[in-house]
Amino acid sequence: MAHKTNVVAMLLAGGQGSRLGVLTKSIAKPAVPYGGNYRIIDFPLSNCVNSGIYTVGVLTQYQPLELNDYLGNGQPWDLDRQNGGVHVLSPYEAIGGAQWYKGTANAIYQNLNFIEKYDPEYVVILSGDHIYKMNYAKMVDFHKKNNAACTIAVLEVPWEEAPRFGILATDENNQIYEFAEKPAKPKSNKASMGVYVFSTDKLKEYLVRDENTPGSANDFGKNIIPAMLSAGEKMFAFPFEGYWKDVGTIDSLWEANLDIINPNVDLDLSDKSWRIYSRNPMSPPHYIGKNAVVESSSVSEGCEIEGSVDYSVISSNVTVEENADIRYSVIMPGAVIKKGAKVYYSIVAENAVIGEGAKVGEIPENLAQPEDWGIAVIGSDAVVEGGAAVSPGDMIKSGEAVVK
């Protein structure tokens, strides 16, 4: 029997990330590189450690290999512990083949024995695809103080974006009296962030009930939360203020990367009091050549830059040759941008090669038809050959070659 721990975190990292297209063809969404030195999953894991939560179950499902390798024994996040630590939980091998997680609630249900092993009073449920810094300990204290069955972190979103989220209606004490999953006509702009604190006994009770409900989607937003509300359980909204981004689409991943170089955005990755930890091999310092021009950009270690880079995020070990021009783009680790190539409003994935004089993407104002614009995406290990062009909004698959 493991020793009793007050809080266990369960991190849902099994999503296929299909809206990220070629970027998640061979890796799980939480393992996608972000911000030069990180992967998306570094944020919730670092939040756990900074909040004093050292027992974390990471529920994986889709393409888990790279994610499992990345997590390893949890050492970079100080999660390599005798008691607790980080555990990768993949779907159980059921008789007659693997039992895939049917929904977010079923994923936790299948791992109730992991939770029971630590016998926590509270369970924090997190999603693996959000970029934010948050003190979960404060949320647990708020939950305790209100003697709640469930507490949901909420963020006020612009009204026009509200239909994309689970929307909560609350009274003056932040108690929730109504919840609507992706409502066409939202009654409030308080959006669920997909961060929950449950009292363990209530979580178990409703997961078991849901599992025995025929036709349930086994989902927290669609099933568990509405069931608890209609049963009259005490549920509270924990107001969150600060930077939060769901990076489920190409556009939001691109925006979230460029946010780190935007002085008007409240996301400080150099803040020593709330560090974001990651497992990244050390590389030598980056080198910027004498004719290179780098403006308003983030450049990671191990890069060699001879061309020009403007308002872009350049990850570790990227090569930018002379006369290459990169603007408003995200270049992931190990990519090579050859002489004279132009990369505009694009995401170039790991180890892709953009050939001499090739062109990827376009500057919006240069387009005859503005509606033709979109972020161009080059998959990992893809090659855009010299002189070839990739149009705005196009997606090149991992390992594919684009010829002139």
Side-chain angles (χ1 to χ4, degrees):
M1 170 82 188
H3 72 201
K4 184 172 174 67
T5 181
N6 198 29
V7 183
V8 164
M10 300 294 273
L11 176 51
L12 295 159
Q16 189 166 349
S18 50
R19 291 177 302 163
L20 289 178
V22 299
L23 296 178
T24 47
K25 188 82 182 87
S26 55
I27 58 173
K29 182 160 60 168
V32 169
Y34 166 80
N37 285 328
Y38 306 97
R39 291 178 189 261
I40 296 168
I41 198 167
D42 289 334
F43 286 79
L45 280 180
S46 299
N47 286 341
C48 283
V49 173
N50 289 326
S51 304
I53 299 171
Y54 295 109
T55 305
V56 184
V58 179
L59 286 70
T60 63
Q61 171 153 285
Y62 171 79
Q63 295 283 11
L65 288 177
E66 189 157 345
L67 188 57
N68 294 357
D69 285 352
Y70 183 69
L71 293 172
N73 66 353
Q75 183 266 324
W77 304 272
D78 193 23
L79 287 168
D80 51 333
R81 295 175 172 249
Q82 292 305 133
N83 287 305
V86 71
H87 299 260
V88 175
L89 306 169
S90 53
Y92 288 2
E93 293 293 322
I95 297 161
Q99 172 71 49
W100 280 73
Y101 297 146
K102 292 180 289 209
T104 51
N106 174 259
I108 304 290
Y109 172 82
Q110 282 199 41
N111 289 286
L112 278 175
N113 63 351
F114 172 80
I115 294 171
E116 283 161 358
K117 178 177 153 188
Y118 293 99
D119 190 24
E121 283 177 71
Y122 307 103
V123 179
V124 179
I125 294 176
L126 306 167
S127 164
D129 49 6
H130 299 148
I131 305 287
Y132 66 116
K133 292 177 174 186
M134 181 176 183
N135 189 335
Y136 304 138
K138 282 187 178 164
M139 186 171 167
V140 172
D141 288 345
F142 175 88
H143 175 88
K144 239 189 264 193
K145 194 177 88 219
N146 286 307
N147 195 20
C150 168
T151 300
I152 302 174
V154 299
L155 182 74
E156 291 197 0
V157 295
W159 279 91
E160 65 275 12
E161 284 184 30
R164 289 179 36 222
F165 295 96
I167 294 295
L168 308 160
T170 57
D171 67 15
E172 65 281 2
N173 301 318
N174 285 310
Q175 189 160 346
I176 300 166
Y177 62 84
E178 199 176 323
F179 177 81
E181 179 74 7
K182 301 187 176 168
K185 293 195 167 75
K187 292 183 184 172
S188 116
N189 66 336
K190 288 181 175 165
S192 163
M193 294 165 59
V195 174
Y196 309 108
V197 176
F198 284 92
S199 295
T200 308
D201 51 345
K202 290 293 183 187
L203 177 66
K204 282 202 258 191
E205 179 189 330
Y206 283 91
L207 285 178
V208 170
R209 192 181 292 184
D210 180 65
E211 196 60 28
N212 294 318
T213 303
S216 171
N218 304 124
D219 183 82
F220 277 100
K222 294 189 187 115
N223 308 106
I224 301 287
I225 305 300
M228 290 180 77
L229 258 183
S230 62
E233 297 288 358
K234 278 184 87 174
M235 303 177 75
F236 282 82
F238 177 74
F240 174 78
E241 287 174 4
Y243 183 88
W244 181 83
K245 193 91 165 187
D246 177 346
V247 285
T249 63
I250 290 294
D251 284 24
S252 62
L253 179 66
W254 176 79
E255 283 166 16
N257 271 277
L258 296 191
D259 279 345
I260 66 173
I261 49 181
N262 182 343
N264 302 318
V265 167
D266 173 25
L267 178 65
D268 178 10
L269 296 183
S270 60
D271 178 2
K272 298 275 190 296
S273 68
W274 199 269
R275 274 195 57 194
I276 301 300
Y277 301 90
S278 75
R279 174 193 298 282
N280 274 322
M282 288 300 289
S283 297
H286 60 254
Y287 169 77
I288 295 181
K290 64 178 192 298
N291 297 322
V293 179
V294 177
E295 293 181 76
S296 308
S297 296
S298 165
V299 179
S300 297
E301 69 274 13
C303 292
E304 288 191 28
I305 297 190
E306 300 280 1
S308 66
V309 177
D310 184 22
Y311 214 85
S312 295
V313 174
I314 310 296
S315 305
S316 52
N317 304 310
V318 165
T319 303
V320 178
E321 295 186 356
E322 62 219 46
N323 297 324
D325 187 20
I326 300 175
R327 300 187 210 176
Y328 289 85
S329 292
V330 177
I331 313 295
M332 290 182 176
V336 176
I337 316 295
K338 300 262 194 173
K339 281 183 193 162
K342 291 177 171 45
V343 179
Y344 301 144
Y345 290 84
S346 300
I347 297 175
V348 178
E350 295 175 87
N351 304 316
V353 177
I354 311 299
E356 272 191 44
K359 184 172 185 186
V360 177
E362 185 53 274
I363 295 167
E365 45 269 33
N366 292 351
L367 287 170
Q369 306 292 329
E371 61 273 15
D372 293 343
W373 186 80
I375 303 294
V377 182
I378 309 297
S380 56
D381 300 300
V383 176
V384 178
E385 296 192 351
V390 174
S391 302
D394 279 4
M395 272 200 180
I396 306 306
K397 290 187 182 134
S398 301
E400 209 170 84
V402 179
V403 296
K404 196 169 169 182

